[in-house]
Amino acid sequence: MPKSATTIDTQHGAAPHTTANSSARLIWLLGPALVAGVAYLDPGNVASNMTAGAAYGYLLVWVVVAGNVMAWLIQYLSAKLGIVTGKSLPEILGLRIRRPLARRLYWLQAELVAMATDLAEVIGGAVALNLLFNVPLLLGGAITGVISMIVLGVQSRRGPHVFERVIISLLLIIAVGFTAGVFVSPPDAGGVISGLVPRFEGTNSVLLAASILGATIMPHAIYAHSALARDRFPQFVGRSDTRRLLWATKWDVSIAMLIAGTVNLAILLLAASALQGVEGTDTLEGAYQALDTTLGPVIATVFAVGLLASGLASTSVGAYAGAEIMHGLLRIRMPILLRRLITLIPALVILGSGFDPTEALVLSQVVLSFGIPFALIPLVWITAKRGILGEYRNRWFTTVAGAIAAVLLVALNVVLLVLVFSGA
């Protein structure tokens, strides 16, 4: 039967081969990257970008832009892996790491990274509830966990399509919440342009640059995206029209990274234009109070709503990634809601202990730094192998670009760790 006459099976993820126009088909194929892109808009990103703008103005604009460009390549490679092989990155690594001990050790570091990510996201949601409704942090963390369990329940019961719609709806709230202030306090165009020139001003600016990149390109987003693409398009594995889906995936990733990059840049620009030099903006609570003072309660409230949506969406995606890591590497399929409950405990302990939430966010980014090379290097290596991706393996320049991005990110994360532990 000609492709133009093939029936659409949207229930099971088959490709829409009809005479419908190309834009309609493209929209149907979008989704996985938008869900994975939520990881680029979690509370850790908010804290890093807000602090960078308040402390150094437009100096680190180039870091946000460069991080987003690298993120595009990394997320596309992750999605391509899931589409072409029908397996996630953890599944492939689980098959290729032969020794049980090595596989368990790899799982342990990946699990710690996923839990650190989850920690930051639950804390962000708790802080947002405290700012909006004066909810105690411990209760706020519990509420964030319960709502994320509901969202994950949607994924388990209703499948990837409905899960995508929920997360994308939260993504829209995040975008509005974090960009509204820029329209009230527009950035200086000259300052933005000057910020595109790569440079630093002292050790602390290097630390912040590494923090921005560490909060932007996170291991769990790499693991999750390959699984999201696998789950969304199961019938495409081995089909002749996979190349068309990969083309659509480039659009999916481009749109997701454009949204994430714009929002992250807006956070930094808002802090640079309205909060530069203001005391206390190195914490989420302080940034909220500063926005309330300088731009008014409406912008501060919208910002807090965006922070809440950020925590809820990103913790749901983080829990999904953690479940995939365990299944792929240990071949253990723990019920995702049970896993959500277990991984919620460390965040609640920290919130209940009175430990400073923003400091906990910073420490979680340090833990994430350890996991970057373990996810990124295997991704570039595997997607370059003909024996795994066949004709869809990376071209030489894609592999070179991926290797350069990996080296830069690993180097900057090493710098972050050195600066943190040296007390800079």
Side-chain angles (χ1 to χ4, degrees):
M1 181 181 292
K3 284 185 178 181
S4 60
T6 303
T7 303
I8 300 176
D9 184 2
T10 55
Q11 179 68 29
H12 296 93
H17 300 307
T18 70
T19 54
N21 61 65
S22 297
S23 60
R25 293 199 300 266
L26 177 61
I27 291 173
W28 185 89
L29 294 170
L30 302 182
L34 291 169
V35 175
V38 167
Y40 294 83
L41 296 171
D42 78 341
N45 291 85
V46 179
S48 297
N49 290 312
M50 187 68 73
T51 302
Y56 292 98
Y58 303 102
L59 178 70
L60 299 179
V61 166
W62 67 274
V63 178
V64 176
V65 174
N68 211 59
V69 171
M70 288 188 283
W72 185 96
L73 175 60
I74 292 165
Q75 292 307 133
Y76 173 69
L77 293 181
S78 178
K80 180 173 74 169
L81 181 66
I83 290 169
V84 174
T85 67
K87 298 182 184 299
S88 67
L89 178 59
E91 284 179 314
I92 290 177
L93 290 172
L95 293 172
R96 298 187 72 85
I97 301 175
R98 304 289 186 181
R99 297 182 179 179
L101 178 59
R103 191 167 61 248
R104 292 188 188 105
L105 289 175
Y106 187 96
W107 165 78
L108 181 60
Q109 64 78 29
E111 189 70 52
L112 290 174
V113 164
M115 292 182 69
T117 303
D118 199 48
L119 176 71
E121 293 155 353
V122 171
I123 288 175
V127 170
L129 287 170
N130 178 260
L131 295 175
L132 287 169
F133 308 111
N134 202 30
V135 175
L137 289 176
L138 180 59
L139 179 58
I143 293 173
T144 301
V146 168
I147 295 176
S148 69
M149 289 178 73
I150 294 173
V151 174
L152 289 168
V154 168
Q155 193 274 338
S156 299
R157 295 175 180 272
R158 304 293 298 277
H161 295 283
V162 179
F163 181 62
E164 283 175 11
R165 295 189 189 106
V166 173
I167 298 299
I168 291 172
S169 297
L170 290 171
L171 179 63
L172 294 176
I173 296 173
I174 295 168
V176 172
F178 291 152
T179 59
V182 175
F183 296 97
V184 177
S185 179
D188 175 65
V192 176
I193 293 172
S194 68
L196 293 172
V197 179
R199 66 193 191 282
F200 297 105
E201 289 181 4
T203 302
N204 284 336
S205 67
V206 179
L207 176 61
L208 274 174
S211 297
I212 290 172
L213 288 176
T216 299
I217 301 173
M218 294 189 288
H220 82 284
I222 299 173
Y223 298 128
H225 200 168
S226 59
L228 288 164
R230 174 206 64 195
D231 292 346
R232 181 69 150 77
F233 305 110
Q235 278 82 2
F236 266 91
V237 179
R239 285 176 52 155
S240 60
D241 47 5
T242 297
R243 193 171 297 280
R244 188 171 65 90
L245 178 56
L246 292 177
W247 176 83
T249 297
K250 290 180 181 178
W251 278 98
D252 191 22
V253 175
S254 297
I255 293 170
M257 293 300 99
L258 178 63
I259 294 172
T262 300
V263 174
N264 277 317
L265 190 58
I267 295 169
L268 188 147
L269 296 180
L270 174 61
S273 63
L275 304 181
Q276 189 173 2
V278 177
E279 293 292 329
T281 51
D282 55 345
T283 67
L284 292 174
E285 298 92 335
Y288 171 83
Q289 295 299 333
L291 286 173
D292 184 59
T293 301
T294 56
L295 300 181
V298 173
I299 294 300
T301 300
V302 171
F303 172 82
V305 170
L307 180 62
L308 177 59
S310 170
L312 293 174
S314 53
T315 193
S316 300
V317 175
Y320 173 88
E324 183 58 37
I325 289 167
M326 176 176 284
H327 170 67
L329 291 165
L330 299 186
R331 302 178 180 88
I332 296 174
R333 180 67 81 180
M334 178 184 291
I336 196 166
L337 296 183
L338 175 61
R339 180 188 169 81
R340 163 75 283 179
L341 187 61
I342 293 172
T343 56
L344 184 62
I345 294 173
L348 295 181
V349 169
I350 289 177
L351 290 170
S353 68
F355 193 82
D356 179 65
T358 302
E359 187 173 350
L361 281 175
V362 172
L363 291 176
S364 72
Q365 303 308 307
V366 174
V367 175
L368 291 178
S369 301
F370 284 105
I372 286 283
F374 292 101
L376 187 50
I377 294 174
L379 175 69
V380 175
W381 176 69
I382 288 172
T383 52
K385 293 184 72 66
R386 177 184 287 275
I388 299 178
L389 269 75
E391 64 177 303
Y392 301 107
R393 73 190 189 283
N394 299 341
R395 297 181 182 180
W396 69 267
F397 52 82
T398 302
T399 300
V400 170
I404 292 172
V407 170
L408 289 174
L409 287 168
V410 171
L412 275 171
N413 278 282
V414 169
V415 170
L416 172 61
L417 295 174
V418 170
L419 291 175
V420 167
F421 289 112
S422 65

